[in-house]
Amino acid sequence: QIYNINSINDNDEEEINIMNIGTDWVDEKESTLIQPGFGWHCEIGNKNLKKLYKNILVLEIQPNQEQNLFEMYFFGKDMVNYLGMCTDERKDGPVCISYIEDEDNYGARALVRTPRKTQHIFIKNEGKKKFKSLKNILELSTIQINKKSLKKIKNQNIISELHKFDGDHIVFNYKFGILYVQDQQLTENEWFGNEHGSEAFERFLDIVGERVTLQNFDKFRGGLDVSGNSTGLTSVYTKFRDKYEVMFHVSTLLPFMPNDTQKIERKRHLGNDIGVIVFKEGNTLFPPEIVKSVFNHVFIVVQEDPEVEGNYLVNVAVKDGVNYFGPYVPYPCSIPPNFLREFLLTKLLNGEWAAYRSPEFAHKMRRTKKLQLNNMLKVYCN
């Protein structure tokens, strides 16, 4: 068995096309919430999904990985580690391999790490035959490795570095923005200039999380000040699925400074969030293309449904380069309040991971991993 446990989206990786998950997708020009614009694609809804979601209570979360496999199967056991280079050094760069004879599971196991991806390979023993060798395992890998370059690493200091390398991409704490937008507002300064939200906005905040006092807050704070009140007195926080912590940067709860015409303090937080919920009022469409932040990749635009009391309309704007991700928006996109939190949080988590796989983030992640692996080569092979 072979698993790509944290592949970064490359041109040779299979891309998810929205047309592969059904038909009857509504044209983005029909959105009543988002103004389609250059550099963004919009998800308005799929007519096939309305019945599907009626019987679903828990939606699928799609992060790359939630467990450190090195910690699960290798750490503290008798393993062998190798460093070397891929066949195409310029494209794939350095490689690091951990190999172990996994007696508990009657097989041999390996982690093959490159800047582009990490593969987890497991071969189960047949009967009483001996464990498969590393050579047998590497024959299954799709990563082209220069086997002559591989050097066995005897220095045990590498183990702690590999534990950190394999755990860096596992995330359980998330920060997302919530932006309040009034009718007829079309600029960032107007959006961030709203000192307070409406009663409808306050009701919405109570659905997605709980109000918390920031002073001495002892859980995930998402970059907010919990000792000096410099980022406001309260915020909205939630624990999701008993393991994900989410701190929201709520535009109206961050400090309001009348003399700060650019609203720098508020933009500083929401502008660094990959996913942002936009709570919109009125008939003015939200235009994602005017947003200047390079980090914002997903806008989930929400509005109270004027036709179904208590329900919320939802559309999604995604920056070009980010593949489609679930859960997909049903059509009509009226979501009841008891399902809204589950839908929004799942969409935000999946959206952040989809953004990580986009070319913009993937390049940065590959570069970081390449530096880490090259440093191991320098330290342990020279």
Side-chain angles (χ1 to χ4, degrees):
Q1 293 174 296
I2 181 169
Y3 312 90
N4 287 328
I5 61 172
N6 68 333
S7 295
I8 299 170
N9 184 28
D10 296 303
N11 292 330
D12 59 350
E13 296 289 335
E14 180 182 0
E15 292 190 359
I16 300 173
N17 188 309
I18 197 167
M19 299 308 295
N20 293 336
I21 53 173
T23 57
D24 287 336
W25 289 96
V26 179
D27 191 284
E28 63 181 15
K29 295 179 181 178
E30 296 185 31
S31 175
T32 60
L33 304 179
I34 300 172
Q35 176 64 53
F38 178 77
W40 295 80
H41 52 276
C42 302
E43 185 185 344
I44 310 308
N46 186 314
K47 297 177 183 178
N48 290 331
L49 296 181
K50 184 177 181 181
K51 294 180 180 179
L52 175 66
Y53 285 153
K54 279 188 175 181
N55 300 317
I56 293 180
L57 298 178
V58 179
L59 299 171
E60 180 184 2
I61 295 177
Q62 304 162 324
N64 281 359
Q65 185 194 0
E66 295 180 355
Q67 294 174 310
N68 187 331
L69 296 183
F70 183 77
E71 184 176 281
M72 288 178 62
Y73 298 114
F74 295 80
F75 197 71
K77 298 181 180 179
D78 187 16
M79 76 184 85
V80 184
N81 297 299
Y82 297 87
L83 286 168
M85 298 298 296
C86 294
T87 303
D88 189 338
E89 294 185 14
R90 184 173 182 180
K91 178 183 178 183
D92 298 317
V95 62
C96 180
I97 303 167
S98 296
Y99 168 81
I100 191 171
E101 295 178 352
D102 189 347
E103 297 180 357
D104 294 338
N105 294 287
Y106 308 104
R109 193 180 300 272
L111 287 175
V112 183
R113 312 170 184 85
T114 72
R116 293 161 69 93
K117 65 178 69 175
T118 295
Q119 287 187 335
H120 171 218
I121 303 172
F122 176 72
I123 303 181
K124 197 171 184 66
N125 288 348
E126 297 178 5
K128 295 183 178 180
K129 293 182 179 180
K130 66 178 183 179
F131 291 102
K132 297 292 184 179
S133 67
L134 177 63
K135 179 182 177 182
N136 298 136
I137 285 187
L138 294 184
E139 287 173 352
L140 293 178
S141 177
T142 58
I143 300 172
Q144 300 301 310
I145 299 170
N146 180 358
K147 296 179 179 61
K148 293 182 179 180
S149 73
L150 292 177
K151 181 177 180 180
K152 185 177 179 180
I153 307 302
K154 297 180 180 180
N155 190 331
Q156 295 301 298
N157 291 335
I158 195 174
I159 293 176
S160 60
E161 291 196 49
L162 294 178
H163 186 265
K164 183 178 185 301
F165 182 92
D166 290 335
D168 279 347
H169 63 278
I170 301 174
V171 182
F172 292 102
N173 298 331
Y174 294 84
K175 57 185 182 68
F176 299 116
I178 300 182
L179 178 65
Y180 175 64
V181 176
Q182 293 182 358
D183 193 20
Q184 303 298 318
Q185 291 186 334
L186 290 170
T187 69
E188 286 189 315
N189 288 345
E190 289 177 318
W191 302 335
F192 287 101
N194 291 319
E195 185 174 2
H196 305 290
S198 63
E199 292 183 3
F201 182 59
E202 298 298 324
R203 287 194 297 271
F204 171 75
L205 293 181
D206 290 335
I207 291 175
V208 297
E210 61 178 295
R211 310 296 179 101
V212 295
T213 300
L214 289 177
Q215 186 72 26
N216 299 322
F217 185 69
D218 60 357
K219 299 181 177 64
F220 177 63
R221 61 189 182 91
L224 298 179
D225 182 7
V226 296
S227 59
N229 294 328
S230 66
T231 56
L233 301 178
T234 63
S235 192
V236 176
Y237 164 90
T238 193
K239 189 78 175 285
F240 187 48
R241 305 276 181 93
D242 293 326
K243 59 182 174 181
Y244 301 104
E245 290 189 70
V246 177
M247 176 62 79
F248 290 103
H249 297 151
V250 184
S251 61
T252 57
L253 297 181
L254 291 166
F256 178 79
M257 303 174 185
N259 296 330
D260 179 14
T261 57
Q262 299 295 317
K263 310 304 175 192
I264 299 299
E265 181 63 23
R266 290 179 165 185
K267 291 179 182 178
R268 179 170 69 89
H269 291 284
L270 277 80
N272 284 295
D273 294 329
I274 293 175
V276 177
I277 297 174
V278 178
F279 185 89
K280 186 184 83 66
E281 297 197 281
N283 297 319
T284 306
L285 300 181
F286 176 76
E289 68 176 320
I290 74 166
V291 176
K292 298 181 178 64
S293 168
V294 297
F295 288 100
N296 296 156
H297 279 61
V298 178
F299 287 109
I300 303 180
V301 184
V302 180
Q303 185 172 19
E304 285 191 326
D305 189 339
E307 298 181 1
V308 183
E309 185 177 357
N311 279 18
Y312 290 84
L313 304 176
V314 177
N315 284 180
V316 183
V318 181
K319 184 174 282 189
D320 288 350
V322 179
N323 281 329
Y324 290 93
F325 53 92
Y328 300 104
V329 177
Y331 188 87
C333 58
S334 182
I335 299 179
N338 62 329
F339 189 56
L340 184 67
R341 176 179 176 273
E342 170 79 19
F343 185 88
L344 292 178
L345 288 172
T346 308
K347 191 73 170 174
L348 284 168
L349 264 65
N350 291 342
E352 178 149 329
W353 276 101
Y356 288 151
R357 300 183 190 106
S358 69
E360 184 175 339
F361 279 99
H363 175 72
K364 296 176 182 177
M365 293 177 72
R366 284 197 301 269
R367 184 174 59 191
T368 299
K369 289 178 178 291
K370 187 173 184 178
L371 287 171
Q372 289 175 299
L373 291 172
N374 276 331
N375 185 63
M376 290 185 206
L377 278 168
K378 182 179 179 180
V379 172
Y380 297 106
C381 293
N382 292 336

